[in-house]
Structure formats: C-alpha cells, structure tokens
Amino acid sequence: MISEKEIKERIGKLPIPGVDRTIDGLNLIRDVRINNGKADITIASTGLHDMIRVWIKGALSNTVMHCEGITDAEVNFIDIKPADINKINKIIVVMSGKGGVGKSLVAGLSAIALRRQGFEVGILDADITGPSIPKMFNVTQNPTGTDSGIFPVFSKTGIEIMSANLLLADESTPIMWRGPMIASIINQFWETVVWGRLDYLIIDLPPGTADAPMTVLQNLPVAGIIIVFGPQDLTAMVVRKAVNMAKHMNKPILGAVENMSYLYVPEIDRKIEIFGKSKARTTAKSFGVPLLAQIPIDPSLVRLCDKGEIENYKSEILVKYGKRLKLVVTKAQPVPSESIPPREHA
Amino acid sequence: MISEKEIKERIGKLPIPGVDRTIDGLNLIRDVRINNGKADITIASTGLHDMIRVWIKGALSNTVMHCEGITDAEVNFIDIKPADINKINKIIVVMSGKGGVGKSLVAGLSAIALRRQGFEVGILDADITGPSIPKMFNVTQNPTGTDSGIFPVFSKTGIEIMSANLLLADESTPIMWRGPMIASIINQFWETVVWGRLDYLIIDLPPGTADAPMTVLQNLPVAGIIIVFGPQDLTAMVVRKAVNMAKHMNKPILGAVENMSYLYVPEIDRKIEIFGKSKARTTAKSFGVPLLAQIPIDPSLVRLCDKGEIENYKSEILVKYGKRLKLVVTKAQPVPSESIPPREHA
C-alpha cells in the first residue's frame, strides 16, 4: 500500500503543460490523503487556466490510479495567493546606482552560473523603464496566468523571468510611469507571480536610488546585494551612493563586481584598460566589501547578449564567479524584513 | 548727455562678485531713468546677498557718476522671480532611456562645443540620483543664493551648472527620493535658479522614461532633444523607448549621437568595434532622426572626465560636432509648452 508521501513524490514530478516546471517545482501540492483506497488530492491552481486544470486532473488521477492499493482518486483545486505558494530561498539584488555598468549582465551571468550548478533560479527585472533581461535571454512570450496569479516566462535553460517588457506588445513602447506606478508594478512582480520553489531569485535593479531600489530594499526579504561598478572614477562616485543606501537600510552587501575592467587584444597580446586603470581592489575595499569578480569587455559576450544567447556563454570567468557567488550567498544571512524601519528622505 | 540706453550698456558690463557673470549677463537691469541729471536705476537683486547688493550699489553709482551729465544716482533693488529674469534662448535635452551610454558626456561635450563658439551655456543636471556633471567639470562649491533665488555654479570656462550633487556636503550621499520629490527638485532647478541670459541650456536626463524625463518634457519649453545610443542592439532597443516617448509627447528630436562607436588602437592602426559592429546610420534612420556624430571610446577623454578636466579636451570630433550641433539647434522650432497636453499612462 502506497503512502501519502510517496504519492506526493510521484505526482510532484509531473510537468505542467505550457509551464517549464513540475507540479512540485511550483509547489502546487497542498494536500494528499488516502482513505479506504481513495486518494483525495488538493492542488493550488493559482494562475492555471481551465484547460490546464483539466489536464492536471487527468494526469494526476491516472498516475494515482496506477499506485498500489488506490482504487479511486479525486483532485480538487484551490486558488490561493502566490505568496503562499512561493518558496524562495534567497533573494539576491544586483545594484549599482550607475547606469550602463552591466547590472543586467551581472544579473544574467549570476543566474546562469547558479543554474549551471543545478539550482532553480529566477530573475525579477525591476528595471521597469529600461529592461534588458528579456532581450539577453531572447524571451518574448507574454506571461500566462489568471486573476489569481501569473507565471514567469522560461528561458532556454529553464530560468524563470519576469520583466515589464514581457507585458508589452512592442518592446520599444516606452513605459512612461511616475514613481508610484513603478513601485506598484514591482510589488506585483513579487506578490502576484507564481515563482514556485526557487533556490535563488535574482533582482535586476535600474540605475539610481529612487523608487525601484527603495521599493525592493524596503518591501522584499533581500538576502544580499551584489554591487556592480566600472573602472571610471566617475562611476565609482555614483556607485558609492548605492553602497551607502544599502548600508543605510541595513541590507547585507555580498560583494562587488567590476565590469568592463579591460579589453584583451589578441593581436598585441595585451590587456587595454580603456576605461582607465583598474582600481578594483581599492574601490571594493573603500566600499568595505569583498571583490567578487573582474569581468573584462568580451566582444563575444556582447554579441551573445545582442543575439539573445547569453546562456551559450562559455568562459572560465563565469565558472569561477559562479563558485564564488554560491559561497558568498550561502554565508549571507537574510535580514528579517520587519527589523528594517522604512526610512525615506523627504 | 548720456542716454539711458548707454547707461544700461555701461553698467551691464560690470561683473558681479562671486558670480562669474556680468549684471547684464544675468539680465538684472530692470529700469534706468534719467531725470534732471539724476539716474534712477532699478536692479533685480534676486539671489544676491546683502554684501553683494552693497557692492553693486557702490559700483553702479560710481560708474554712473562718471557719465557725462549725471550729477546724482540712486540704485534700487527689487526681488523678482528668477522666471522673470531668465532669458533662455534654447533648451536642449540630452536623453537616452538607457544608462551608461554617455548622456552626461554628450551633454558636457555639447556645452563645451557651444561655449567655445562664444555662446552663454548652462547645464541643468536632471539626473538627481546619479549626477555625473559636477565631477566631469570639477565643480564642488555649494550654490549661493537667497530665498528669492539661487545661482548656478560656474565651470572653469564659465559654463553655468546646477546639479543635486552640488547641494550635498558629501558627493557619495545617496539621494533616496521617490518620484514626486525628483519631479519637485527638477522644477526647482528650473524655477528658482537664476540662470540669467543663456543662449543654450543643456539638460542632462537620467536613464529611463519615468519621473525626471516626464517632468522635463512636460514642464519645460524644450527646443530639441539629442538622443544618445550605443552600438549594442540591446542598447538600441531601450533607446527606442526614449525616442518613442519624445515623439509621443510631440517634442522635436534634433538628432542622435552614437557613443562608444569604436576604440582606436594605435599599435595595430585599427579601429576595434568592441561593442559590436556599428550600425549608427541604420539605427538613427530607424529612429527617424539624423545622425549627428559618432564618438569613439577615447581613453584620454575618460581620463579627463575622471580628473574633472573635460573642458581641456581637444579633438577634431568635438569641433565638428559643435558646428553640426549649432546648425541643427538653429533649425529647431521650440514647441510652445501650452500646446502639449500632459499625457501620462497610469
């Protein structure tokens, strides 16, 4: 006679059509009970269309009816809040203050590095007015869902992605929203998206220290922050503002990544520091955080990003960074959100 | 016997202590009347401290009393709104949507190019949370002023600058403001700063299409927009949002500038297109605007920016760009602000 636990495991492995995860991957199983050979199964149907519900009902019944000692099965659905489904282990925020230093690149590479190590990873693109993530990963589908919740879109290697650009019919439509709307959509990405079980949710912030960073740092249980900076003094000055914002809000900074450190020119076998001599170590030290990586300008990576094939990137740097990232994230202690007093200059 | 007009001309040339402009440069002369050998002069004292008023009173009386036929002089002050003093010929907005493509660089180089042609130029740094202009121009002084108005700070070559970073005691303090505060300080930079007479006011926008760009495009009489983009497809996609925003708000786009087009490596006498093959002409065409310039990555310019010596930059590109810029700006017709319906997605 099969146990309730074993049934959970078996039905948990079933993939959900149209969604690139299993029933357990999305943490949809709410209850399994066996009574006189009858299995009563309760599934969270948050975000699932009628057709998918029918499919799930059939697939689950079929699976369960093949189990030893089960003669009858009933599948019930309940719509619960995505917040009660989502089990996200660690939220990592990629932040800079400065634009164009490669926040999205570092967010993307972080997700890829962790994914390659076998983790379930999502990216919440909090750059509402200038989103880069969908293009890098070549995801263009509109997210599916119902009133109870919406699903992220899945990249080629199974990274969950939610971005404002996925909600637009045309990616070049400007989102002309003032601050309160920006804050509201970020909260929606957090509260109404069915992320399911994730080991890591990477958040890609826009430049600046205004609505988007404030909303994310104030409202989400952030485990750690990765600071991205560039070799220019000018960049370091603006990035320091973001570092000070994170400290001011008592959020742990995991470390800093210097991007565009140098360009390697094979013809002369030389690294050219086109944006000025790298002071990566000194700069990270002045921020009071460890230096996690120095990423060179790699024209092949630029091409991959432009083609939406960032997931094909092969590089020793990425492997090293992935290991180091896992290490620092494991160490980071999430700050309980209730301990953070909302502070705002006005 | 000297005429009122001649007196205006003579006193107009007097420099104002602590402010790098003349009395006429700031458009402070309100009235000059001669009556029975007595000159009655009214000066706008907006933003001027008591000590400077005393100095002006002395200097003006002295100048006038040396004029033929003048035996007595009286200098009166009135505090009027900066808006009634400022005579700004053309407002040019530098915009991109995308961060880090070099908006501030293009804003700075535009100001320098116009200044070298003899124009009076100001820069309003509307990137409140990530301001770069003060560092590029090495201006660090706090702006001076009174309740009635404040003065911009002057660069080495006399460019007027106003930036949020000039208001901070420490440049690395983050400005953690939500949208409405961002909008409000930009309006203040426009309404309470004594810019005086300017041929060109360059506005450096932050990335995105949210509060700062919306406020500037809705509230200020913008004569034209310069779009900055980079060679990456990814960049072009986000920049297109800004282009569409400008069109949607019926603002004239003067043209586009491609930055970071290539890196010249003298050792191999080759241009390396590190951020991908330049499609500048095609991209500008797809935006429906003329291509104004292609700016290469110039490590010497990077160094000058980091040292706050951007005004020392010598380059053929800058000369060409300056001429072309003047040409397109002259052509641009300012859109009367009342013709623009305030539109906002919500």
Side-chain angles (χ1 to χ4, degrees):
Chain A
M1 171 78 181
I2 195 163
S3 73
E4 291 169 351
K5 187 160 167 278
E6 282 166 310
I7 288 189
K8 273 188 188 169
E9 277 167 16
R10 284 204 205 170
I11 60 173
K13 284 178 191 152
L14 290 170
I16 303 168
V19 180
D20 209 5
R21 305 252 346 230
T22 61
I23 288 180
D24 184 61
L26 283 183
N27 195 28
L28 298 186
I29 307 171
R30 297 290 99 190
D31 199 26
V32 172
R33 275 177 210 207
I34 305 177
N35 217 332
N36 291 328
K38 186 189 174 210
D40 277 300
I41 300 171
T42 311
I43 297 290
S45 54
T46 313
L48 298 173
H49 287 295
D50 270 353
M51 229 171 59
I52 299 177
R53 293 185 194 209
V54 170
W55 184 94
I56 288 180
K57 202 164 194 156
L60 259 59
S61 306
N62 193 40
T63 305
V64 173
M65 293 292 277
H66 281 86
C67 294
E68 191 205 337
I70 303 293
T71 53
D72 194 8
E74 191 173 327
V75 178
N76 295 300
F77 291 110
I78 48 166
D79 263 8
I80 58 176
K81 282 184 298 179
D84 293 331
I85 293 172
N86 297 336
K87 293 271 174 245
I88 296 170
N89 190 25
K90 291 215 159 121
I91 295 182
I92 304 172
V93 172
V94 179
M95 158 173 206
S96 170
K98 186 80 183 76
V101 293
K103 279 177 299 301
S104 302
L105 187 79
V106 170
L109 293 180
S110 303
I112 293 165
L114 292 166
R115 182 77 186 140
R116 286 189 189 164
Q117 292 174 74
F119 296 109
E120 293 295 345
V121 184
I123 303 177
L124 187 163
D125 184 358
D127 192 348
I128 306 304
T129 62
S132 303
I133 295 291
K135 195 167 166 72
M136 277 183 185
F137 285 85
N138 193 28
V139 292
T140 51
Q141 313 91 292
N142 288 130
T144 59
T146 63
D147 285 348
S148 59
I150 59 169
F151 289 100
V153 168
F154 290 81
S155 81
K156 211 174 58 178
T157 66
I159 294 169
E160 299 188 347
I161 293 173
M162 182 49 73
S163 167
N165 249 21
L166 300 173
L167 309 173
L168 303 175
D170 170 6
E171 65 173 12
S172 64
T173 306
I175 296 192
M176 293 183 278
W177 285 349
R178 290 191 176 270
M181 277 299 295
I182 303 276
S184 143
I185 195 163
I186 291 175
N187 284 328
Q188 288 226 340
F189 282 178
W190 174 240
E191 288 163 9
T192 72
V193 171
V194 185
W195 298 99
R197 290 185 200 275
L198 285 183
D199 298 302
Y200 298 100
L201 179 65
I202 315 282
I203 300 187
D204 184 20
L205 282 184
T209 52
D211 294 86
M214 287 180 76
T215 303
V216 166
L217 296 189
Q218 278 175 353
N219 298 1
L220 273 56
V222 173
I225 295 169
I226 295 170
I227 297 286
V228 185
F229 67 105
Q232 276 193 264
D233 284 349
L234 188 57
T235 304
M237 182 271 290
V238 177
V239 175
R240 200 177 303 278
K241 288 176 185 274
V243 171
N244 288 337
M245 178 185 191
K247 290 182 179 171
H248 182 75
M249 296 175 88
N250 292 314
K251 297 289 176 178
I253 300 176
L254 303 176
V257 174
E258 189 192 57
N259 189 28
M260 301 192 266
S261 295
Y262 56 86
L263 171 77
Y264 178 70
V265 184
E267 286 90 339
I268 49 171
D269 187 27
R270 231 184 71 198
K271 292 176 178 178
I272 306 187
E273 296 183 310
I274 52 178
F275 289 112
K277 196 152 179 46
S278 163
K279 295 170 284 292
R281 244 155 247 293
T282 329
T283 306
K285 203 171 171 186
S286 78
F287 292 161
V289 304
L291 182 67
L292 295 182
Q294 281 183 282
I295 303 179
I297 300 172
D298 182 345
S300 80
L301 179 55
V302 172
R303 271 195 302 277
L304 288 173
C305 287
D306 272 355
K307 278 159 62 189
E309 297 175 0
I310 186 174
E311 288 169 292
N312 293 350
Y313 189 51
K314 306 255 183 297
S315 160
E316 193 49 36
I317 287 167
L318 185 53
V319 177
K320 273 192 213 152
Y321 175 63
K323 283 183 195 151
R324 195 149 168 63
L325 180 63
K326 198 186 131 194
L327 220 71
V328 289
V329 181
T330 310
K331 272 190 199 154
Q333 292 306 314
V335 178
S337 58
E338 51 281 8
S339 77
I340 303 149
R343 290 192 205 174
E344 207 162 318
H345 288 196
Chain B
M1 173 82 179
I2 195 163
S3 72
E4 290 168 352
K5 187 160 167 277
E6 283 168 309
I7 289 188
K8 273 186 188 170
E9 276 167 17
R10 283 203 204 172
I11 62 174
K13 284 178 191 152
L14 289 171
I16 303 167
V19 180
D20 210 4
R21 305 249 352 226
T22 61
I23 287 180
D24 184 60
L26 283 182
N27 195 27
L28 299 186
I29 305 172
R30 296 291 101 190
D31 198 28
V32 171
R33 275 177 209 210
I34 305 175
N35 216 332
N36 291 330
K38 186 188 173 207
D40 276 300
I41 301 170
T42 310
I43 297 291
S45 54
T46 312
L48 298 172
H49 288 292
D50 270 354
M51 229 171 60
I52 299 177
R53 295 186 192 207
V54 171
W55 185 93
I56 289 179
K57 201 163 196 157
L60 258 60
S61 305
N62 194 40
T63 305
V64 174
M65 292 292 278
H66 280 85
C67 294
E68 191 205 335
I70 302 294
T71 52
D72 195 7
E74 193 173 324
V75 178
N76 295 301
F77 292 108
I78 47 165
D79 263 8
I80 58 175
K81 283 185 298 178
D84 293 332
I85 293 173
N86 296 337
K87 293 272 173 244
I88 296 171
N89 191 26
K90 292 219 158 118
I91 296 182
I92 304 172
V93 171
V94 179
M95 157 170 208
S96 169
K98 185 82 183 76
V101 292
K103 279 178 298 302
S104 301
L105 187 78
V106 170
L109 292 180
S110 303
I112 293 165
L114 292 167
R115 182 75 186 140
R116 286 189 190 164
Q117 291 174 74
F119 296 109
E120 293 295 344
V121 184
I123 304 176
L124 188 162
D125 184 358
D127 191 349
I128 306 303
T129 63
S132 304
I133 294 292
K135 197 169 166 68
M136 277 181 184
F137 284 85
N138 193 30
V139 293
T140 51
Q141 312 90 291
N142 288 129
T144 59
T146 64
D147 286 347
S148 59
I150 59 169
F151 289 100
V153 167
F154 290 80
S155 81
K156 212 175 57 177
T157 65
I159 294 169
E160 300 189 348
I161 293 174
M162 181 51 71
S163 167
N165 248 21
L166 299 174
L167 308 174
L168 304 174
D170 171 5
E171 64 173 12
S172 63
T173 305
I175 296 193
M176 294 183 276
W177 284 350
R178 289 189 178 272
M181 277 298 295
I182 303 276
S184 141
I185 195 163
I186 291 174
N187 284 329
Q188 288 228 339
F189 282 177
W190 174 240
E191 287 164 7
T192 72
V193 170
V194 184
W195 298 100
R197 289 185 201 275
L198 285 183
D199 298 300
Y200 298 100
L201 179 65
I202 315 283
I203 301 188
D204 185 19
L205 281 184
T209 51
D211 295 85
M214 287 179 77
T215 303
V216 166
L217 295 190
Q218 279 175 353
N219 298 359
L220 273 55
V222 173
I225 295 171
I226 296 169
I227 297 286
V228 185
F229 67 105
Q232 277 194 264
D233 284 349
L234 189 57
T235 304
M237 183 270 292
V238 177
V239 175
R240 200 176 304 277
K241 287 176 186 274
V243 172
N244 288 337
M245 178 184 191
K247 289 181 180 170
H248 181 75
M249 296 175 89
N250 293 314
K251 298 290 179 179
I253 301 177
L254 303 176
V257 174
E258 189 192 56
N259 189 28
M260 303 193 265
S261 296
Y262 57 87
L263 172 77
Y264 178 70
V265 185
E267 286 90 339
I268 49 172
D269 188 26
R270 231 185 71 198
K271 292 177 179 180
I272 305 186
E273 296 184 310
I274 52 179
F275 289 111
K277 194 146 182 54
S278 165
K279 296 171 285 293
R281 243 157 248 292
T282 329
T283 307
K285 204 172 171 186
S286 78
F287 293 162
V289 305
L291 181 67
L292 295 181
Q294 280 184 282
I295 303 179
I297 300 173
D298 181 346
S300 80
L301 178 56
V302 172
R303 270 195 302 279
L304 288 174
C305 287
D306 272 356
K307 280 159 62 188
E309 296 174 1
I310 187 175
E311 287 168 293
N312 293 349
Y313 189 52
K314 306 255 182 298
S315 159
E316 192 51 33
I317 287 166
L318 186 52
V319 177
K320 273 192 216 152
Y321 174 63
K323 281 182 197 152
R324 195 146 167 64
L325 181 64
K326 198 187 131 193
L327 220 68
V328 288
V329 180
T330 309
K331 272 190 202 154
Q333 291 305 318
V335 177
S337 57
E338 51 282 8
S339 77
I340 305 148
R343 290 192 206 175
E344 204 161 323
H345 288 193

